[in-house]
Amino acid sequence: MLLLPFGGLTLALVFAFTGNVSNVDASMTRLETTEAQASANGLSLAHAMEQPISLVVQDGQKLVDNPLRYDYERAHFAFQALEGTNAIGTGLEMITFLVIPLLFFVYGCGVAAGDVRRRILKDRVVMQGASWYVVAKAATVVAVSLAAVLIAATLSLAAAPVLRAAFLHSVDRSFPYPVTTVAVGSPAVQIAFSASTAIMFGLLGLFVGLVARSMLIPSLAAGGLLMVAPFAGPYDPRNILTAAGQGVFNYWGGFSPRPPFPVEVEVGLAFMAGGLVFVALVSVLIWSRMTKFV
């Protein structure tokens, strides 16, 4: 089970950075095409960058009144996604919302059900005591979640220059005009956000697994709820995470999460924490009354 979070995140990073490299190529190609079309109409990039830009989403389509500047900025952001510490956010942003919740829920279930499957639950509880047994399991989930995210962030930082040298060496594009950004995500905050998400879903899986004593049914149910079912509303945990993530990640790497419902992020996060505590208390209470002679 220990290899599941580390291997899963490593594989997810491969897909994330593959998508980013494709995003850079596509953004550069689109900019060159738009620039050629604008030049044919007598519009230079310098002139376009002096003009304001407005973006309107209508019927699911983006309507831009200054496409040359828009494509220039998109290409600039795509290229910057692999620059320096920006690579950390590029690696974490997709896996935080698409991979981490289900991956760590399954891992937490596995940690809880492992002793039952190996028929050593009674021995572990007798040696450690019921309370310390649960605390040790929870500490394991927290430690592995934090370590896995830190390793994923480190791999992202190390992989970015290698990918640029291997796949984007032919991209020779200067960006002479500065692009104004509202804020650039802090790598430390991004890591903390991803780690917190992993810990929360890992603990949720642990407490569900203690009662279910199985990985299969809880994991299938979680997969359906997390990956298939649409957002249930503003206070759906996935929606709360997506809303909170807007202030954490830049989304320069090409990944774009589902637009969230309006929600009070602080209240939503408090509800999530309270829900986890409630599940933990109920699960431990039920587990403490279940037989350990398995």
Side-chain angles (χ1 to χ4, degrees):
M1 284 303 300
L2 189 59
L3 294 178
L4 178 62
F6 297 101
L9 288 190
T10 301
L11 183 61
L13 283 176
V14 172
F15 284 103
F17 278 106
T18 299
N20 178 252
V21 170
S22 299
N23 181 53
V24 173
D25 282 332
S27 298
M28 295 299 179
T29 300
R30 186 164 54 250
L31 174 59
E32 292 171 359
T33 301
T34 305
E35 193 171 8
Q37 293 173 346
S39 179
N41 293 322
L43 177 65
S44 66
L45 179 58
H47 181 67
M49 295 302 295
E50 294 174 353
Q51 304 304 311
I53 181 174
S54 65
L55 173 65
V56 177
V57 178
Q58 183 176 352
D59 297 329
Q61 294 184 334
K62 294 180 180 179
L63 303 179
V64 185
D65 63 356
N66 189 348
L68 181 52
R69 177 174 175 176
Y70 177 81
D71 287 343
Y72 176 87
E73 292 181 349
R74 298 283 77 73
H76 178 272
F77 290 144
F79 203 73
Q80 288 296 311
L82 293 176
E83 284 281 352
T85 57
N86 292 337
I88 293 176
T90 300
L92 294 180
E93 60 191 17
M94 185 195 80
I95 65 174
T96 298
F97 300 101
L98 296 184
V99 178
I100 281 178
L102 181 57
L103 178 66
F104 282 88
F105 181 91
V106 173
Y107 171 69
C109 274
V111 170
D115 292 337
V116 175
R117 187 173 61 251
R118 293 190 295 270
R119 298 184 180 278
I120 58 173
L121 176 61
K122 180 187 71 173
D123 298 333
R124 296 290 300 274
V125 172
V126 169
M127 287 189 299
Q128 294 180 259
S131 297
W132 283 109
Y133 176 84
V134 175
V135 169
K137 291 290 186 182
T140 297
V141 170
V142 170
V144 171
S145 300
L146 181 58
V149 172
L150 286 172
I151 290 174
T154 303
L155 288 176
S156 298
L157 188 62
V162 176
L163 290 172
R164 291 187 59 174
F167 299 104
L168 299 176
H169 57 85
S170 61
V171 177
D172 184 17
R173 173 79 198 198
S174 60
F175 294 92
Y177 305 102
V179 175
T180 303
T181 58
V182 176
V184 178
S186 165
V189 174
Q190 292 166 346
I191 293 172
F193 186 89
S194 298
S196 299
T197 302
I199 290 170
M200 185 189 71
F201 281 95
L203 290 176
L204 181 62
L206 172 70
F207 294 122
V208 170
L210 285 175
V211 175
R213 292 186 171 180
S214 168
M215 284 180 60
L216 181 61
I217 295 177
S219 297
L220 290 176
L225 290 172
L226 292 171
M227 307 300 291
V228 179
F231 282 11
Y235 287 94
D236 184 313
R238 294 167 298 173
N239 183 72
I240 296 169
L241 288 176
T242 302
Q246 291 188 120
V248 176
F249 295 102
N250 301 318
Y251 304 119
W252 290 348
F255 170 72
S256 180
R258 182 180 188 269
F261 295 119
V263 63
E264 292 290 336
V265 174
E266 294 80 4
V267 175
L269 292 175
F271 275 138
M272 290 177 64
L276 179 60
V277 172
F278 176 76
V279 171
L281 292 175
V282 172
S283 298
V284 171
L285 178 62
I286 295 174
W287 178 81
S288 66
R289 297 175 182 272
M290 296 171 67
T291 179
K292 310 301 185 294
F293 291 88
V294 294

